[in-house]
């Protein structure tokens, strides 16, 4: 079971968390798969039962992505968020249809070497229960904005919308990390840039963001699992 986001310190990115993120980012860039995979902060916000899975769906008209527990056939969907469990298995946490993947190929055996490399880093850093692996996809065409996720606890639904200058982002926890190469400010060579493409809206307690000043925060991410 993943830790509840309201548990103390779950939303705080520590120095050793960041060191692990940096190493994974270098691994992804070195393998030229930084546009395909990122990491997620593992946490839960509401229960997902054994006969349910978390399904990601897109409403293009309303420009919103929802994630909710459903009973569905796994043969028709693909894992988008996975983590490494105590039995040594990659386990699916969230799933999406091929259409929702928006042209991104599902995780397959062709990704085995990359996934093994990421898992080895997470194991060495003792972060397999801290971070999961995200298949990056963008069904809304964010074009530089990020997703801000909020929850409806009564209905067990997570909703994400594209945001750019929303003040709520300053009081939110980054939950999906990605990396890219950017040219250094001096123009002399390339450097690694860590960014976030999804945040959870926050409410009440203090966390330290990945980089920057101290903010007040609380947040959420789905649970539930199926072996990939």
């Amino acid at each position: 079971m993943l830790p509840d986001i309201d548990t103390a310190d779950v939303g705080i990115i520590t120095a050793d968390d960041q060191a692990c993120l940096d190493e994974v980012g270098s691994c992804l860039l070195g393998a030229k798969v930084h546009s395909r995979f990122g990491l997620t902060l593992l946490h839960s916000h509401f229960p997902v039962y054994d006969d349910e899975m978390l399904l990601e769906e897109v409403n293009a008209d309303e420009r919103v992505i929802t994630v909710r527990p459903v009973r569905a056939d796994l043969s028709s969907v693909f894992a988008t968020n996975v983590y490494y469990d105590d039995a040594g298995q990659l386990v699916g946490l969230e799933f999406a249809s091929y259409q929702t993947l928006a042209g991104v190929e599902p995780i397959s055996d062709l990704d085995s070497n990359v996934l093994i490399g990421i898992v080895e880093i997470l194991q060495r850093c003792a972060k397999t229960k801290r971070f999961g692996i995200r298949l990056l996809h963008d069904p809304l065409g964010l074009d530089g904005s990020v997703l801000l996720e909020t929850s409806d606890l009564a209905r067990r639904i997570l909703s994400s919308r594209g945001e750019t200058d929303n003040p709520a982002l300053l009081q939110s926890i980054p939950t999906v990390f990605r990396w890219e190469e950017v040219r250094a400010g001096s123009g002399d060579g390339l450097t690694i840039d860590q960014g976030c493409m999804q945040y959870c809206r926050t409410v009440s307690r203090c966390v330290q963001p990945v980089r920057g000043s101290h903010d007040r925060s609380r947040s959420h991410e789905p649970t539930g699992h199926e072996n990939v």
Side-chain angles (χ1 to χ4, degrees):
M1 179 177 292
L2 302 182
D4 190 287
I5 194 60
D6 291 331
T7 303
D9 299 339
V10 169
I12 298 175
I13 302 298
T14 63
D16 61 312
D17 286 336
Q18 187 58 54
C20 181
L21 289 170
D22 290 342
E23 190 171 350
V24 171
S26 295
C27 172
L28 293 173
L29 282 159
K32 305 298 184 185
V33 292
H34 53 286
S35 296
R36 179 162 173 77
F37 291 110
L39 287 192
T40 58
L41 181 68
L42 294 175
H43 56 289
S44 65
H45 199 65
F46 48 68
V48 177
Y49 303 111
D50 289 343
D51 61 344
E52 295 177 326
M53 67 176 183
L54 284 163
L55 182 66
E56 176 185 328
E57 298 174 304
V58 178
N59 186 321
D61 293 335
E62 296 186 11
R63 301 285 295 165
V64 62
I65 296 171
T66 59
V67 176
R68 60 190 177 92
V70 300
R71 295 177 176 88
D73 181 3
L74 278 172
S75 65
S76 63
V77 294
F78 306 92
T80 59
N81 189 11
V82 300
Y83 83 111
Y84 194 73
D85 71 0
D86 293 335
Q89 301 271 347
L90 277 175
V91 175
L93 295 172
E94 296 178 21
F95 297 82
S97 68
Y98 194 81
Q99 182 178 6
T100 300
L101 289 180
V104 173
E105 287 300 312
I107 297 172
S108 72
D109 291 342
L110 297 176
D111 299 307
S112 295
N113 289 340
V114 170
L115 296 176
I116 289 171
I118 297 172
V119 168
E120 287 176 348
I121 294 171
L122 296 177
Q123 287 179 311
R124 186 170 64 253
C125 297
K127 298 296 180 181
T128 55
K129 295 183 178 180
R130 182 64 168 154
F131 296 113
I133 303 170
R134 178 75 168 183
L135 178 64
L136 299 176
H137 56 291
D138 182 13
L140 292 182
L142 293 173
D143 191 26
S145 62
V146 297
L147 291 171
L148 181 61
E149 180 183 84
T150 57
S151 66
D152 180 336
L153 297 183
R155 298 167 60 204
R156 293 192 301 156
I157 295 177
L158 302 172
S159 300
S160 298
R161 298 179 185 274
E163 300 284 357
T164 50
D165 300 322
N166 191 328
L169 290 172
L170 298 176
Q171 295 180 311
S172 301
I173 295 172
T175 58
V176 178
F177 304 89
R178 66 175 305 171
W179 291 266
E180 61 182 1
E181 284 186 335
V182 297
R183 191 157 297 280
S186 63
D188 184 17
L190 297 173
T191 186
I192 296 175
D193 179 58
Q194 176 183 307
C196 298
M197 65 178 295
Q198 184 165 327
Y199 292 77
C200 287
R201 186 173 180 179
T202 62
V203 180
S204 66
R205 63 181 174 78
C206 294
V207 301
Q208 183 70 34
V210 175
R211 304 185 191 278
S213 61
H214 197 260
D215 288 318
R216 295 186 62 80
S217 296
R218 192 181 71 186
S219 183
H220 53 268
E221 171 102 358
T223 59
H225 60 275
E226 297 285 350
N227 287 337
V228 175

